Each structure stands twice: as C-alpha cells, then as structure tokens.
C-alpha cells in the first residue's frame, strides 16, 4: 500500500461569514461575505497549484460563519474529494439532522467538528437559547452515520470549570473526541473579560491531563502537552503549513492571528504564500529567548503565536501562558 509521506498543508476556509448564532466570543465582525461556486473553483485550482509547487498534500477545514448555511457546501466537498484533498467541516452543529449527516457521509468528509462550550445552561448562555439541544442532536446524527465527530470546547472565564462535565456529556452523546483551546481575544478588545490568565490555563490543562488518561479528552494544543506528557508536541504552523482564507478572499496565517497576508482577488494563493512579508517573517522565526532552557523548545518553538500576539502585541515572543517562561509585560506591537 502506498503511503503519502508528504507534509500536510491545511487551508482553513471560511466559505461564508453568515451564521445563525451570535456567540459571545466570536471574532466575526462581518456577517455578509459569501463565496460563490465560481470563486470556489478558483480557490481549489489555486490550492492545487500551491500543493504541487511546494510538495504538500492538502487538507481543507471548511468553516464559517456557519458552513451548513452555504448551499454549495456539498458540491465543494465532492470537488475536493475528486482532487484527492481531504476535508473536514467545522460547525456549530445546530443545522445537522439525519439527512445532512447522510449527505456529509456521502461527500467523503474525514471528520466533523461540533462546538460545545459547556453543558446545556452554559452553552446556551454563550451561544444562544436552544443551541445546546440542537448541537447535541447533530452529534447523534453524525455518529449514526459513522462519521468521526470531534467536539471543540473554547475555554473562557464563564465556562472554565465545565470541562469535566462536558466530557461526561460527550461520552453520553457518543462523540469520538473532546479537545479544547483558549479563547483568543486581543487584550484591548476583551470587553467581557473572557480571556484566561496563565494560572487559569495551567489549571485547565492539568484537569484535561487527568481526564485524558481514561477518556476522550485530548491534549493536542499549545502547552497542553506539559501536564499531559503526550508524545505529540504541538507546534504552531501558522503561515507555514496553515493558512486561513476568508469569504472575501483575505488570506491570513491563522484566523486567530489577525495579520493580513494578501487577497486572492489580487494575486494567487501561491504568490501570497511565497512572497507575503508577513508569512516570510513567520516562517523565519527563531525559538524565543524565553524558551531557551525548555526541554520542549525544539518541538514547541514558543507555543501559540496568536496567544502571544493577543496578550503582548508580538508574535515572535514565547506564549505568555506557558508556565516555563518569564516575559516582558510591555506591549510592543509588531505587525
């Protein structure tokens, strides 16, 4: 059997900014942008060009807004499949019933990620009344079709203690995996005080480490390997083997790292990847000074760039939530 050993390149594609929910931690400020079928065809061609030129194998995370609102979603999944590009759908789960789950299965999607931000009361407070029940029904429908279903938990001040209870809920629903990450909000924009402190994130990671031993919780994100001791050490790949593409054509290294690399309406995705100063700087980054003594430094390489940028104004410094580093608290924007 042939095994594709090429490095995977992930395109996180926000095919629409339209959404049926208004979550408290959402980073959307535009709910109108929409990708047409013609534009989708162009993006697939450009992504193929990038993969071929750079020697990657391709994967697309299709998201929004809410991707299930896009009438061309299933057409797009089929087109990607024909090009041997694997796909996943990242959704709030509220629009998935048995019919949609069957269509996703037929489209060859690798997995579906559904967002749950706590048990019923907490989730509905964050995402809207009734959204928990709808998302839970979506998970059940997906699992009935044998689709690998991951639950995503965005940790913030108002759901910090929900991880253990949510793990129990995910087991009851039959989800395959529960993973979590911090909410990332620039300090000056965090008007609701949702961002976790370093101490809070450390405690959450320790809770996850305990839960991961005999359950579906995984610790595959920045710094979570420290208490979990997982073999896989997370390294931020933003701008290297990960790009985000918004519905208006904007290209970013990561949706949570708000730096614009270019727009595919002005130049090709390959040219943006090769020539954007933002992406070139990200790929050239050295291990931050604050990480020099850490035994994980060669694998982690400083943790999450978006977390560093949100809290310090810099993406070339160590993740400020890492318990192993001491950082200069002075914000020094570096765009």
């Amino acid at each position: 059997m042939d095994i594709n050993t090429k490095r995977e390149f992930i395109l996180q594609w926000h095919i629409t900014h339209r959404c049926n929910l208004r979550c408290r931690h959402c980073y959307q400020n535009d709910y109108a942008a929409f990708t047409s079928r013609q534009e989708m065809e162009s993006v697939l061609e450009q992504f193929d060009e990038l993969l071929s030129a750079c020697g990657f194998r391709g994967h697309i995370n299709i998201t929004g807004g809410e991707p299930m609102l896009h009438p061309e979603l299933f057409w797009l999944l089929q087109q990607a499949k024909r090009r041997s590009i694997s796909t996943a759908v990242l959704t709030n789960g509220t629009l998935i019933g048995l019919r949609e789950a069957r269509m996703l299965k037929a489209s060859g999607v690798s997995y579906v990620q559904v967002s749950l931000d706590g048990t019923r009361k907490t989730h509905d407070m964050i995402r809207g009344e009734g959204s928990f029940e709808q998302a839970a029904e979506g998970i059940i429908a997906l699992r009935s079709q044998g689709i690998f279903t991951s639950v995503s938990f965005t940790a913030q001040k108002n759901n910090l203690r929900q991880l253990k209870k949510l793990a129990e809920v995910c087991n009851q629903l039959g989800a395959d995996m529960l993973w979590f990450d911090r909410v990332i909000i620039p300090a000056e924009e965090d008007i609701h005080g949702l961002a976790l402190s370093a101490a809070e994130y450390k405690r959450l990671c320790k809770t996850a480490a305990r839960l991961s031993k005999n359950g579906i919780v995984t610790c595959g994100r920045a710094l979570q390997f420290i208490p979990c001791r997982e073999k896989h050490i997370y390294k931020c790949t933003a701008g290297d083997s990960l790009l985000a593409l918004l519905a208006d054509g904007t290209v970013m290294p990561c949706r949570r790292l708000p730096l614009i690399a270019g727009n595919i309406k002005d130049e090709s995705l390959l040219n943006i990847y090769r020539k954007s100063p933002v992406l070139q700087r990200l790929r050239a980054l050295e291990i931050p000074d604050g990480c020099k003594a850490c035994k994980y430094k060669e694998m982690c390489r400083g943790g999450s760039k978006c977390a560093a940028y949100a809290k310090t104004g810099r993406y070339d410094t160590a993740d400020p939530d890492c318990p192993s580093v001491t950082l200069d608290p002075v914000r020094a924007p570096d765009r």
Side-chain angles (χ1 to χ4, degrees):
M1 180 176 68
D2 292 332
I3 299 176
N4 191 338
T5 58
K6 292 181 180 179
R7 191 157 66 113
E8 183 177 67
F9 192 103
I10 299 175
L11 180 67
Q12 180 156 321
W13 189 357
H14 298 251
I15 60 173
T16 179
H17 295 179
R18 299 173 186 175
C19 191
N20 59 323
L21 301 181
R22 294 293 183 270
C23 307
R24 299 185 76 177
H25 58 275
C26 184
Y27 40 58
Q28 288 282 126
N29 52 24
D30 156 39
Y31 292 94
F34 186 84
T35 309
S36 69
R37 178 183 285 203
Q38 183 178 5
E39 290 168 332
M40 286 178 171
E41 289 178 323
S42 175
V43 169
L44 288 173
E45 290 173 2
Q46 292 184 50
F47 191 43
D48 258 343
E49 179 187 28
L50 187 156
L51 296 174
S52 178
C54 300
F56 291 110
R57 58 185 169 87
H59 175 83
I60 302 176
N61 285 332
I62 301 173
T63 186
E66 174 46 54
M68 297 300 297
L69 286 172
H70 202 301
E72 303 287 4
L73 170 63
F74 297 103
W75 175 86
L76 175 58
L77 289 169
Q78 293 285 0
Q79 294 302 307
K81 182 179 179 181
R82 288 173 185 160
R83 294 172 181 263
S84 299
I85 297 172
S86 63
T87 55
V89 174
L90 316 185
T91 171
N92 61 40
T94 62
L95 302 177
I96 297 176
L98 187 57
R99 174 178 174 272
E100 290 77 17
R102 286 172 174 164
M103 293 173 69
L104 287 165
K105 180 69 172 180
S107 298
V109 68
S110 297
Y111 67 91
V112 175
Q113 175 183 295
V114 177
S115 296
L116 285 180
D117 289 322
T119 53
R120 186 186 308 272
K121 182 178 179 181
T122 302
H123 180 87
D124 283 0
M125 179 267 294
I126 294 172
R127 292 184 177 259
E129 191 68 28
S131 59
F132 177 89
E133 185 65 29
Q134 292 172 322
E137 290 174 356
I139 292 170
I140 293 170
L142 291 166
R143 291 301 302 126
S144 76
Q145 299 307 300
I147 298 172
F148 188 95
T149 305
S150 168
V151 171
S152 169
F153 171 69
T154 302
Q156 49 196 280
K157 292 278 190 184
N158 48 25
N159 68 359
L160 186 57
R161 301 181 186 279
Q162 290 272 294
L163 187 60
K164 183 178 179 181
K165 291 181 179 178
L166 183 57
E168 295 171 357
V169 169
C170 289
N171 275 319
Q172 293 168 2
L173 294 173
D176 294 286
M177 184 175 75
L178 167 60
W179 72 276
F180 71 99
D181 208 348
R182 298 158 281 179
V183 66
I184 302 294
I185 305 175
E188 63 273 12
E189 298 176 18
D190 191 12
I191 58 175
H192 299 296
L194 299 179
L196 304 183
S197 67
E200 288 170 330
Y201 186 55
K202 182 179 179 180
R203 287 198 298 271
L204 182 64
C205 290
K206 286 184 174 180
T207 298
R210 292 193 297 271
L211 294 171
S212 69
K213 292 178 180 179
N214 298 300
I216 63 173
V217 175
T218 183
C219 300
R221 301 295 287 174
L223 312 184
Q224 295 171 9
F225 58 84
I226 295 175
C228 287
R229 300 290 191 267
E230 288 198 352
K231 293 181 180 179
H232 171 69
I233 306 298
Y234 172 88
K235 180 182 77 171
C236 177
T237 60
D240 178 18
S241 57
L242 166 69
L243 288 178
L245 174 63
L246 306 190
D248 63 3
T250 300
V251 178
M252 307 170 75
C254 165
R255 185 61 183 89
R256 303 194 304 172
L257 184 58
L259 305 172
I260 296 176
N263 193 298
I264 58 169
K265 294 180 180 179
D266 301 322
E267 57 182 322
S268 74
L269 189 62
L270 177 59
N271 279 347
I272 293 171
Y273 179 73
R274 284 178 166 171
K275 299 178 181 180
S276 163
V278 168
L279 303 182
Q280 290 177 345
R281 286 197 298 269
L282 282 167
R283 292 195 289 269
L285 286 180
E286 300 291 337
I287 298 172
D289 290 339
C291 303
K292 297 298 185 181
C294 180
K295 65 180 180 180
Y296 300 113
K297 63 182 179 183
E298 294 294 341
M299 295 174 283
C300 173
R301 301 191 67 83
S304 175
K305 296 181 181 71
C306 62
Y309 189 81
K311 287 195 172 185
T312 73
R314 300 177 61 122
Y315 54 78
D316 60 349
T317 190
D319 191 322
D321 290 337
C322 181
S324 303
V325 298
T326 302
L327 301 174
D328 182 349
V330 177
R331 291 176 61 80
D334 181 358
R335 295 178 183 273

